[in-house]
PDB file of all heavy atoms in Angstrom:
ATOM      1  N   VAL C  38       5.469  24.257 -24.537  1.00 96.00           N
ATOM      2  CA  VAL C  38       6.350  25.322 -25.008  1.00 96.00           C
ATOM      3  C   VAL C  38       6.340  25.412 -26.534  1.00 96.00           C
ATOM      4  O   VAL C  38       6.134  26.488 -27.086  1.00 96.00           O
ATOM      5  CB  VAL C  38       7.773  25.140 -24.439  1.00 96.00           C
ATOM      6  CG1 VAL C  38       8.736  26.082 -25.082  1.00 96.00           C
ATOM      7  CG2 VAL C  38       7.813  25.222 -22.941  1.00 96.00           C
ATOM      8  N   ALA C  39       6.604  24.296 -27.198  1.00 97.00           N
ATOM      9  CA  ALA C  39       6.672  24.315 -28.655  1.00 97.00           C
ATOM     10  C   ALA C  39       5.389  24.727 -29.306  1.00 97.00           C
ATOM     11  O   ALA C  39       5.369  25.687 -30.162  1.00 97.00           O
ATOM     12  CB  ALA C  39       7.111  22.952 -29.153  1.00 97.00           C
ATOM     13  N   LEU C  40       4.287  24.125 -28.947  1.00 96.00           N
ATOM     14  CA  LEU C  40       3.018  24.440 -29.599  1.00 96.00           C
ATOM     15  C   LEU C  40       2.460  25.765 -29.075  1.00 96.00           C
ATOM     16  O   LEU C  40       1.783  26.491 -29.783  1.00 96.00           O
ATOM     17  CB  LEU C  40       2.024  23.318 -29.402  1.00 96.00           C
ATOM     18  CG  LEU C  40       2.343  22.017 -30.100  1.00 96.00           C
ATOM     19  CD1 LEU C  40       1.306  20.945 -29.754  1.00 96.00           C
ATOM     20  CD2 LEU C  40       2.446  22.203 -31.591  1.00 96.00           C
ATOM     21  N   GLY C  41       2.781  26.111 -27.833  1.00 95.00           N
ATOM     22  CA  GLY C  41       2.362  27.373 -27.306  1.00 95.00           C
ATOM     23  C   GLY C  41       2.982  28.548 -28.019  1.00 95.00           C
ATOM     24  O   GLY C  41       2.319  29.572 -28.282  1.00 95.00           O
ATOM     25  N   ILE C  42       4.205  28.414 -28.406  1.00 96.00           N
ATOM     26  CA  ILE C  42       4.936  29.462 -29.155  1.00 96.00           C
ATOM     27  C   ILE C  42       4.347  29.547 -30.564  1.00 96.00           C
ATOM     28  O   ILE C  42       4.008  30.656 -31.057  1.00 96.00           O
ATOM     29  CB  ILE C  42       6.429  29.243 -29.161  1.00 96.00           C
ATOM     30  CG1 ILE C  42       6.972  29.456 -27.770  1.00 96.00           C
ATOM     31  CG2 ILE C  42       7.134  30.139 -30.199  1.00 96.00           C
ATOM     32  CD1 ILE C  42       8.460  29.074 -27.633  1.00 96.00           C
ATOM     33  N   VAL C  43       4.197  28.407 -31.228  1.00 97.00           N
ATOM     34  CA  VAL C  43       3.740  28.402 -32.589  1.00 97.00           C
ATOM     35  C   VAL C  43       2.287  28.945 -32.719  1.00 97.00           C
ATOM     36  O   VAL C  43       1.983  29.655 -33.667  1.00 97.00           O
ATOM     37  CB  VAL C  43       3.790  26.956 -33.174  1.00 97.00           C
ATOM     38  CG1 VAL C  43       3.136  26.876 -34.525  1.00 97.00           C
ATOM     39  CG2 VAL C  43       5.253  26.560 -33.329  1.00 97.00           C
ATOM     40  N   THR C  44       1.428  28.595 -31.752  1.00 96.00           N
ATOM     41  CA  THR C  44       0.033  28.999 -31.859  1.00 96.00           C
ATOM     42  C   THR C  44      -0.292  30.212 -30.979  1.00 96.00           C
ATOM     43  O   THR C  44      -1.493  30.520 -30.747  1.00 96.00           O
ATOM     44  CB  THR C  44      -0.902  27.825 -31.481  1.00 96.00           C
ATOM     45  OG1 THR C  44      -0.663  27.505 -30.104  1.00 96.00           O
ATOM     46  CG2 THR C  44      -0.681  26.621 -32.365  1.00 96.00           C
ATOM     47  N   LEU C  45       0.718  30.850 -30.460  1.00 95.00           N
ATOM     48  CA  LEU C  45       0.542  31.999 -29.600  1.00 95.00           C
ATOM     49  C   LEU C  45      -0.294  31.672 -28.355  1.00 95.00           C
ATOM     50  O   LEU C  45      -1.069  32.495 -27.842  1.00 95.00           O
ATOM     51  CB  LEU C  45      -0.073  33.193 -30.321  1.00 95.00           C
ATOM     52  CG  LEU C  45       0.728  33.681 -31.536  1.00 95.00           C
ATOM     53  CD1 LEU C  45      -0.043  34.754 -32.277  1.00 95.00           C
ATOM     54  CD2 LEU C  45       2.067  34.142 -31.119  1.00 95.00           C
ATOM     55  N   GLY C  46      -0.152  30.463 -27.845  1.00 92.00           N
ATOM     56  CA  GLY C  46      -0.818  30.043 -26.618  1.00 92.00           C
ATOM     57  C   GLY C  46      -2.131  29.322 -26.779  1.00 92.00           C
ATOM     58  O   GLY C  46      -2.657  28.766 -25.836  1.00 92.00           O
ATOM     59  N   TRP C  47      -2.711  29.318 -27.960  1.00 96.00           N
ATOM     60  CA  TRP C  47      -4.011  28.683 -28.197  1.00 96.00           C
ATOM     61  C   TRP C  47      -3.951  27.154 -28.009  1.00 96.00           C
ATOM     62  O   TRP C  47      -4.987  26.565 -27.626  1.00 96.00           O
ATOM     63  CB  TRP C  47      -4.558  29.015 -29.552  1.00 96.00           C
ATOM     64  CG  TRP C  47      -5.017  30.441 -29.627  1.00 96.00           C
ATOM     65  CD1 TRP C  47      -4.348  31.523 -30.106  1.00 96.00           C
ATOM     66  CD2 TRP C  47      -6.257  30.945 -29.121  1.00 96.00           C
ATOM     67  NE1 TRP C  47      -5.070  32.670 -29.957  1.00 96.00           N
ATOM     68  CE2 TRP C  47      -6.278  32.348 -29.394  1.00 96.00           C
ATOM     69  CE3 TRP C  47      -7.370  30.385 -28.554  1.00 96.00           C
ATOM     70  CZ2 TRP C  47      -7.343  33.130 -29.055  1.00 96.00           C
ATOM     71  CZ3 TRP C  47      -8.457  31.176 -28.219  1.00 96.00           C
ATOM     72  CH2 TRP C  47      -8.413  32.561 -28.448  1.00 96.00           C
ATOM     73  N   ALA C  48      -2.858  26.555 -28.259  1.00 95.00           N
ATOM     74  CA  ALA C  48      -2.745  25.090 -28.136  1.00 95.00           C
ATOM     75  C   ALA C  48      -2.891  24.623 -26.717  1.00 95.00           C
ATOM     76  O   ALA C  48      -3.281  23.497 -26.440  1.00 95.00           O
ATOM     77  CB  ALA C  48      -1.419  24.610 -28.714  1.00 95.00           C
ATOM     78  N   ILE C  49      -2.592  25.525 -25.766  1.00 94.00           N
ATOM     79  CA  ILE C  49      -2.694  25.152 -24.370  1.00 94.00           C
ATOM     80  C   ILE C  49      -4.124  24.798 -23.970  1.00 94.00           C
ATOM     81  O   ILE C  49      -4.381  23.984 -23.095  1.00 94.00           O
ATOM     82  CB  ILE C  49      -2.067  26.242 -23.483  1.00 94.00           C
ATOM     83  CG1 ILE C  49      -0.553  26.293 -23.777  1.00 94.00           C
ATOM     84  CG2 ILE C  49      -2.338  26.007 -22.016  1.00 94.00           C
ATOM     85  CD1 ILE C  49       0.163  27.388 -23.136  1.00 94.00           C
ATOM     86  N   ALA C  50      -5.086  25.396 -24.617  1.00 95.00           N
ATOM     87  CA  ALA C  50      -6.496  25.110 -24.344  1.00 95.00           C
ATOM     88  C   ALA C  50      -6.841  23.655 -24.682  1.00 95.00           C
ATOM     89  O   ALA C  50      -7.702  23.063 -24.066  1.00 95.00           O
ATOM     90  CB  ALA C  50      -7.403  26.034 -25.186  1.00 95.00           C
ATOM     91  N   VAL C  51      -6.095  23.056 -25.609  1.00 95.00           N
ATOM     92  CA  VAL C  51      -6.305  21.635 -25.948  1.00 95.00           C
ATOM     93  C   VAL C  51      -5.357  20.776 -25.117  1.00 95.00           C
ATOM     94  O   VAL C  51      -5.767  19.697 -24.668  1.00 95.00           O
ATOM     95  CB  VAL C  51      -6.067  21.432 -27.453  1.00 95.00           C
ATOM     96  CG1 VAL C  51      -6.103  19.960 -27.828  1.00 95.00           C
ATOM     97  CG2 VAL C  51      -7.040  22.205 -28.285  1.00 95.00           C
TER      98      VAL C  51
END
Side-chain angles (χ1 to χ4, degrees):
V38 172
L40 294 177
I42 290 171
V43 171
T44 64
L45 302 176
W47 287 97
I49 293 173
V51 174

